[in-house]
Amino acid sequence: MTTRPSTGTEDLQSEEELAELVAKLAKEGGHRVAVAESLTAGRVSSMLGRGEQASQWYRGAVVAYDEDVKFRVLGVTPGPVVTDLCAREMAEGVRRLLRADVALGITGVGGPGPDEDCPAGTVHLAVATAAATRSLHACLPGDPSEVVAEATRLCLGELVRELVDGDDA
């Protein structure tokens, strides 16, 4: 598991609080946000769509659960999809497709069993901007619903991190 630097969001406990912070930061910074989801199957998008004045900053999402959608719609290189490369290409693809300033891509294995020789709880996510794409890998404990919930929190936290630190990078 990759160690993440502090984002200042560790004390925020709920998806709702993180989504509200994404909304606030995106509005204040004039950033347009988009997501490409596989593992979380639209849960991140659902949280962002609830954000204050979402129509002003939230561009939308592609829920690319099937690998063919990843390949054809998002431009992911055909091959294994539980990878860092896939998460990066999902983020970059949805950023281009939806003309966003900040985009996130997430793929992984919710469980209960392994997939593509990766254990349940494997998460790859990436955040793309015009300047760069960064990614992280995590191994989350729990049953499938717990993995998806924690992966959603992780995504929202990484969006906050980008919206806070992105201009400084």
Side-chain angles (χ1 to χ4, degrees):
M1 180 169 137
T2 300
T3 304
R4 297 181 294 140
S6 173
T7 63
T9 61
E10 290 80 7
D11 58 335
L12 297 175
Q13 297 302 307
S14 73
E15 295 170 348
E16 290 80 8
E17 289 172 308
L18 287 166
E20 287 173 18
L21 187 51
V22 170
K24 177 181 182 285
L25 293 167
K27 280 188 332 184
E28 287 175 356
H31 300 289
R32 297 168 301 170
V33 177
V35 296
E37 300 182 68
S38 181
L39 170 66
T40 49
R43 187 167 171 158
V44 175
S45 181
S46 177
M47 296 307 303
L48 294 175
R50 297 178 199 176
E52 186 176 329
Q53 297 177 333
S55 64
Q56 293 180 12
W57 57 269
Y58 186 47
R59 298 291 292 170
V62 173
V63 178
Y65 210 76
D66 184 82
E67 63 184 36
D68 192 52
V69 176
K70 293 174 184 75
F71 304 152
R72 289 177 177 242
V73 176
L74 296 173
V76 170
T77 303
V81 294
V82 183
T83 66
D84 179 75
L85 177 62
C86 181
R88 287 173 165 275
E89 290 179 340
M90 287 174 69
E92 292 164 357
V94 80
R95 190 183 74 75
R96 281 190 307 271
L97 183 67
L98 300 183
R99 297 183 184 132
D101 303 307
V102 176
L104 180 135
I106 181 167
T107 186
V109 181
D115 191 17
E116 292 185 2
D117 294 325
C118 297
T122 299
V123 176
H124 290 280
L125 74 81
V127 177
T129 66
T133 301
R134 64 178 174 78
S135 62
L136 68 85
H137 169 247
C139 295
L140 304 176
D143 65 32
S145 65
E146 292 168 323
V147 169
V148 169
E150 187 56 29
T152 300
R153 260 187 45 79
L154 184 61
C155 288
L156 294 168
E158 287 303 310
L159 286 171
V160 167
R161 177 180 172 202
E162 184 59 41
L163 293 167
V164 168
D165 297 338
D167 295 332
D168 300 332

